[in-house]
Amino acid sequence: MGGPLGARDYKRGTADMRFGNLSRLSLLLLAVLGVSAPATADTFFTQLGTLNPPAAPASNVILVTGTGGATYSNVVGTPGVGASVFAVGAVPISSANLAFGPPFTSLQAGFWTASGGNTGIAVFAVQGSITAISGNNATVAFTAGQIDVYAVNGGNFNFKDPGTWGTSGTSLGQWTLATPANIVQGNANADSGTFASTQVNVISGAIAAGNLLSGPTLWDKAASNTLLVASTFDPFGLASVVKEQLEVRIKETIEANYGSSGSIPLANLVALLNSILSNAGLGNSGFSDFDPNNLATSFDFFATLQTEAAPGVQFFIIPEPASVLLWGSLGMGALVVGRHRRRSKSGLLSA
């Protein structure tokens, strides 16, 4: 979620992918003839989704919205190009908009637990670095991160206190920050958004009180995560490998500091923020020099948060087995011809 949401490798690979109706033979052919396969499709397509909280699922979901959250951000050491940036935040999930019919607005009361009363809290932790600074304007590219969703009694949630974000409970769903890709509308009924890959996982704005930061981030969905999944996909046919993802758009209103009303002692806040970083695999000291009241010199800031999350997929197109066999035959034919020509040439030279 990038600063509204260094480098680390993520838990990706086959765990994030789902194979369609591919036979063992076609997969074996791809392994042998991998050079014949088309290049990866570097585009995220928004799709219709299914939200599967502990109670009844909601289908045809195009957008999940969060409001009333907060982000804490810290630059480690002296701010400057190349300096590491950490951000931790949480936002309550307030509604799920559907492709058909009116939007659902009762997630807090009925969708997160069968008995009602609990709210889904999306908690994120990200790491990146400053790529440019112009005056008080910093551009940050985020390269690693994690989102977890927890069920919390809505009356106990305090966006200024990470101790109320539910992180000691069980995660209902988890995503890891993905490699940037182009973002486009996929299904005609899905939420639309168009961003170039250079705009993804990058946040730029004036780090000063009252300004708004916004930007899209892209997240990989682990195979075990069934909380919000794409339910329509694969316009390229069945012979594709699909990776389910989540696009998250962030709007942050920057404040001068983390505030006094309802906040907790700074030492407690630092310990909690570092523990969330640690849970996301981002170390446990990114907030150790956190100074939320030294905004002008450190780029540390507190921000109120709104998010929009759209489910979708990224495709890795695989040819049908017949095409693989044909390409393989052509490749072997070219190889045989090449060898024959080299031998003929060698024979002429020795004559």
Side-chain angles (χ1 to χ4, degrees), residues 155 219 238 252 260 267 278 314 336 347:
W219 302 81
L238 294 175
E252 289 185 320
S260 57
S278 180
Q314 191 173 119
V336 170

Side-chain angles (χ1 to χ4, degrees), residues 57-351:
S59 57
N60 295 319
V61 174
I62 62 171
L63 201 65
V64 172
T65 301
T67 57
T71 303
Y72 294 89
S73 182
N74 186 54
V75 176
V76 175
T78 303
V81 173
S84 294
V85 178
F86 293 87
V88 167
V91 59
I93 296 175
S94 56
S95 64
N97 294 333
L98 304 184
F100 310 103
F104 279 83
T105 57
S106 59
L107 287 178
Q108 292 182 340
F111 272 90
W112 289 99
T113 63
S115 59
N118 283 355
T119 301
I121 306 294
V123 179
F124 65 87
V126 290
Q127 176 183 355
S129 61
I130 297 174
T131 58
I133 297 178
S134 177
N136 283 333
N137 186 67
T139 300
V140 179
F142 290 93
T143 54
Q146 183 171 298
I147 296 175
D148 284 275
V149 177
Y150 301 95
V152 175
N153 184 301
N156 295 334
F157 175 76
N158 176 3
F159 64 88
K160 296 181 179 180
D161 180 1
T164 68
W165 294 355
T167 54
S168 60
T170 301
S171 174
L172 301 178
Q174 187 178 97
W175 291 264
T176 53
L177 193 67
T179 301
N182 300 321
I183 296 175
V184 299
Q185 184 177 19
N187 185 285
N189 293 312
D191 184 69
S192 61
T194 301
F195 301 95
S197 60
T198 54
Q199 299 174 286
V200 178
N201 299 353
V202 176
I203 299 301
S204 182
I207 310 299
N211 283 332
L212 185 71
L213 296 180
S214 62
T217 54
L218 197 59
W219 302 81
D220 288 335
K221 185 190 80 66
S224 58
N225 177 8
T226 61
L227 180 58
L228 177 58
V229 299
S231 54
T232 64
F233 54 88
D234 208 350
F236 303 107
L238 294 175
S240 300
V241 177
V242 180
K243 178 166 66 176
E244 293 191 52
Q245 295 177 309
L246 188 71
E247 174 204 353
V248 178
R249 300 166 206 166
I250 305 97
K251 295 181 180 179
E252 289 185 320
T253 303
I254 308 304
E255 305 292 343
N257 54 52
Y258 77 102
S260 57
S261 176
S263 61
I264 62 176
L266 183 58
N268 294 1
L269 177 64
V270 167
L272 287 166
L273 294 175
N274 278 336
S275 70
I276 294 173
L277 286 179
S278 180
N279 180 62
L282 302 179
N284 59 3
S285 60
F287 281 87
S288 294
D289 63 350
F290 185 47
D291 186 1
N293 295 306
N294 192 10
L295 181 70
T297 60
S298 68
F299 286 166
D300 294 337
F301 64 88
F302 167 80
T304 58
L305 181 67
Q306 293 183 358
T307 65
E308 295 178 340
V313 292
Q314 191 173 119
F315 297 99
F316 300 82
I317 304 171
I318 292 177
E320 58 182 324
S323 298
V324 173
L325 287 173
L326 176 60
W327 291 348
S329 298
L330 292 174
M332 290 301 294
L335 181 62
V336 170
V337 170
R339 287 181 176 175
H340 177 71
R341 286 177 176 171
R342 283 194 295 272
R343 287 176 181 172
S344 297
K345 186 176 181 180
S346 177
L348 288 173
L349 288 173
S350 62

